[in-house]
Amino acid sequence: MTSKPAVILNVNDDVASRYVTSRVLGLAGFRVMEAGSGHEALVLTDEHTDLVILDVRLPDISGLEVCRRLKTAPRTHNVLVLHLSAQAVGPGDRAQGLEHGADGYLVAPVDPEELVAQVHALLRLRKAEREVRALSQEVEHQRRLLELAISSAADPIVLYDGAGRVLFANAALYAARGSHAVHGTGLTPREMLAKDPALTPYVQYVEAALRTGQVQRGSITLSSDQGPRHFDFVVSPAVGPDGRVLAVMTSSRDVTEHRSAEEFREQFIGMLGHDLRNPLNALSMSAQQLQRRGGLDERQSNLTGRILTSAERMDRMIRQLLDFARARLGGGIPVMRAPGDLFDVVRRSVEELRASHPGRLVHLEMLGDGRGDWDADRLEQALGNLLANALKYSPTDSLVSVHAEGGPKGAVLRVHNLGVPIPPEELPHVFSVWRRGRKSRPEDGSAGGLGLGLYIASQIIRGHGGDVDVTSSAASGTTFTVRLPR
């Protein structure tokens, strides 16, 4: 599909000159209209006219005045004007023509090739201007849409420039903090901090994003007209091709209600675990006294043994609940270090496992030196949880391997089992609370736990300054690896 030829209005009171110019332009492929006066030019020019070739000396109105009117009228202000004059040929005439709004000025007679080339150049300029105008309008439209979206967002959002000054803060931020809001346009984080010192952690993350160009995440508690509110926030920098941070956006989420519910649940769990201890101890002591007294028939003896087994299982659950409550409410499970040998802890854990599961194969290998400062009881608890998990999720006739190695900088423990692998989508969550594998094999009442064992083990290891991870596949089995610094 070919484009329409450009529409040119040729204005000249000299019929011969007008004919020659129109003939040249027509042969060049333009659609040419003609006018012999200024008034006629003003009538014929409309929004569809691309270019007006305008003589300066017209019999009724000066070409300069015609140009001025065309450029100021809303319907024709985008029309190109090229002055073509055989009389006003001095430098002052050309300057005056351009000052009145003309886009070009030629002195007649003009070479036909130069005329056509000048017209093409002006039309290219007009096309580029239109493209720039359309692009600017689209950019402005997109900017307004973005501003509307941010303004309407339910969560607080703040935009900063590359120097850290506030460009925009949406209504949700002011609604969240009310009269306590300090995010004024043009303020730097430090200036906001001077107004509200509680913003310190938030400001530190914003400055880190400006400095490093990396996304930052954090939490903060701030005052509002509704009282203290808890927020989780993300600081997202926009980095240019040269690596400089051009802008930063922060988005916050009010987690006050969620955190309050979570704290209540954890406090309730801690109180529940503590209060269950007394009746459970009474139940266990009663069953033990019955066994020591003797005289029980086989059925009574089985029932008493079942009571003790269930009580021991409940006691483990209660200990896990209390450890969970300590970890969540007290900033982690407390660790009391003392000089000792980690290998003794590993050996006791494996021997206890072999004694309670006589039919299982457990291989132990220890290399190097296990001496250091450890919380032996807590590490035995963590290793016991890992071993119990390995038994629970592996076939009864398969081998469970435990490898311990001590080096100059620390120790590494590995617990390996063969069984159904952990699905890849579950691997990032195995150390989370309330997580249990979907396929476990009940063994001696070990199934049916709370899903806290691996979480507590990870917290104990973290309390020692170490870390734990897991790999799992059908070919190589599942391996939990613990790294403990000395």
Side-chain angles (χ1 to χ4, degrees):
M1 179 177 176
T2 58
S3 60
K4 294 181 180 181
V7 177
I8 298 177
L9 177 62
N10 182 19
V11 185
N12 197 321
D13 62 322
D14 186 302
V15 177
S17 298
R18 189 171 70 233
Y19 172 79
V20 172
T21 301
S22 297
R23 177 69 175 172
V24 170
L25 295 174
L27 291 174
F30 300 108
R31 178 186 167 197
V32 183
M33 300 187 300
E34 295 184 350
S37 68
H39 281 108
E40 191 177 0
L42 292 173
V43 171
L44 292 177
T45 306
D46 59 21
E47 63 272 15
H48 302 295
T49 307
D50 294 294
L51 173 68
V52 176
I53 295 181
L54 184 60
D55 189 10
V56 175
R57 303 286 173 85
L58 295 173
D60 53 348
I61 307 175
S62 165
L64 300 178
E65 177 63 17
V66 173
C67 177
R68 188 192 65 79
R69 293 186 187 182
L70 290 176
K71 291 295 186 178
T72 56
R75 195 173 66 151
T76 60
H77 71 280
N78 286 324
V79 173
L80 291 166
V81 175
L82 172 61
H83 278 310
L84 180 61
S85 179
Q87 299 176 7
V89 297
D93 296 317
R94 290 194 294 269
Q96 190 177 17
L98 295 174
E99 287 177 357
H100 275 73
D103 299 284
Y105 201 108
L106 291 177
V107 174
V110 62
D111 183 80
E113 291 185 0
E114 182 183 358
L115 174 63
V116 172
Q118 181 71 26
V119 169
H120 277 302
L122 290 175
L123 291 175
R124 285 196 301 271
L125 174 64
R126 175 48 41 85
K127 181 181 179 181
E129 289 177 347
R130 287 173 176 170
E131 291 176 350
V132 170
R133 189 180 303 112
L135 181 60
S136 298
Q137 291 173 348
E138 178 62 24
V139 169
E140 177 63 17
H141 176 66
Q142 296 292 340
R143 186 194 67 79
R144 289 176 180 173
L145 287 179
L146 177 61
E147 184 174 316
L148 178 62
I150 295 175
S151 298
S152 305
D155 294 328
I157 295 176
V158 184
L159 296 179
Y160 300 88
D161 63 17
R165 296 189 178 276
V166 176
L167 295 174
F168 176 79
N170 70 347
L173 181 136
Y174 297 103
R177 299 208 62 198
S179 61
H180 296 266
V182 296
H183 285 75
T185 302
L187 294 181
T188 65
R190 287 288 159 178
E191 290 170 337
M192 292 187 297
L193 186 60
K195 296 183 176 183
D196 186 357
L199 284 170
T200 298
Y202 170 84
V203 166
Q204 290 173 344
Y205 281 116
V206 171
E207 291 179 338
L210 288 167
R211 185 175 61 256
T212 66
Q214 297 179 349
V215 174
Q216 309 288 324
R217 290 178 172 85
S219 300
I220 194 171
T221 300
L222 296 172
S223 300
S224 76
D225 292 343
Q226 295 81 37
R229 309 296 294 181
H230 304 291
F231 297 92
D232 289 344
F233 60 85
V234 180
V235 184
S236 304
V239 182
D242 59 354
R244 292 189 305 112
V245 175
L246 304 178
V248 167
M249 182 179 78
T250 67
S251 58
S252 306
R253 186 167 60 94
D254 191 330
V255 295
T256 305
E257 303 303 327
H258 173 74
R259 183 173 296 185
S260 297
E262 192 173 75
E263 288 179 355
F264 171 79
R265 183 183 69 176
E266 292 165 2
Q267 289 171 354
F268 172 76
I269 288 172
M271 290 186 294
L272 178 64
H274 182 270
D275 291 344
L276 285 175
R277 263 294 176 58
N278 290 335
L280 180 61
N281 288 338
L283 180 66
S284 299
M285 290 176 61
S286 298
Q288 291 170 2
Q289 288 179 0
L290 287 173
Q291 282 189 335
R292 285 195 295 267
R293 182 179 299 175
L296 302 176
D297 58 29
E298 182 178 354
R299 181 173 177 275
Q300 293 170 333
S301 179
N302 288 337
L303 289 174
T304 305
R306 190 176 302 173
I307 290 172
L308 287 173
T309 300
S310 297
E312 290 173 0
R313 180 161 160 257
M314 288 180 64
D315 185 60
R316 288 195 299 271
M317 290 183 179
I318 290 172
R319 288 201 305 270
Q320 287 187 338
L321 284 173
L322 292 175
D323 283 338
F324 166 74
R326 292 190 190 99
R328 302 286 280 194
L329 300 176
I333 295 177
V335 169
M336 305 297 293
R337 292 175 176 268
D341 194 328
L342 180 63
F343 290 173
D344 291 339
V345 175
V346 176
R347 190 179 296 108
R348 285 197 303 270
S349 299
V350 171
E351 289 174 354
E352 181 179 340
L353 187 73
R354 287 169 174 166
S356 59
H357 300 80
R360 295 303 302 267
L361 297 174
V362 182
H363 174 72
L364 173 61
E365 181 182 27
M366 294 185 292
L367 301 172
D369 184 2
R371 289 174 296 179
D373 289 334
W374 324 103
D375 187 328
D377 292 338
R378 285 298 188 185
L379 286 177
E380 191 169 342
Q381 179 185 0
L383 185 56
N385 288 343
L386 295 177
L387 289 171
N389 185 80
L391 289 180
K392 187 186 300 184
Y393 295 99
S394 62
T396 55
D397 58 350
S398 65
L399 177 69
V400 172
S401 300
V402 180
H403 175 86
E405 184 173 351
K409 296 183 178 180
V412 177
L413 307 177
R414 292 185 178 87
V415 178
H416 173 266
N417 71 278
L418 293 171
V420 178
I422 302 172
E425 66 273 14
E426 291 187 9
L427 279 174
H429 310 291
V430 295
F431 299 107
S432 301
V433 295
W434 317 121
R435 302 290 296 198
R436 294 183 57 213
R438 291 180 295 178
K439 296 181 180 179
S440 63
R441 177 187 51 75
E443 180 175 325
D444 298 338
S446 62
L450 297 171
L452 294 173
L454 293 180
Y455 169 76
I456 291 173
S458 68
Q459 291 298 307
I460 292 172
I461 294 163
R462 186 175 299 175
H464 281 79
D467 62 81
V468 56
D469 58 46
V470 59
T471 59
S472 187
S473 67
S476 59
T478 299
T479 302
F480 285 86
T481 302
V482 176
R483 298 173 182 85
L484 294 169
R486 290 194 184 278

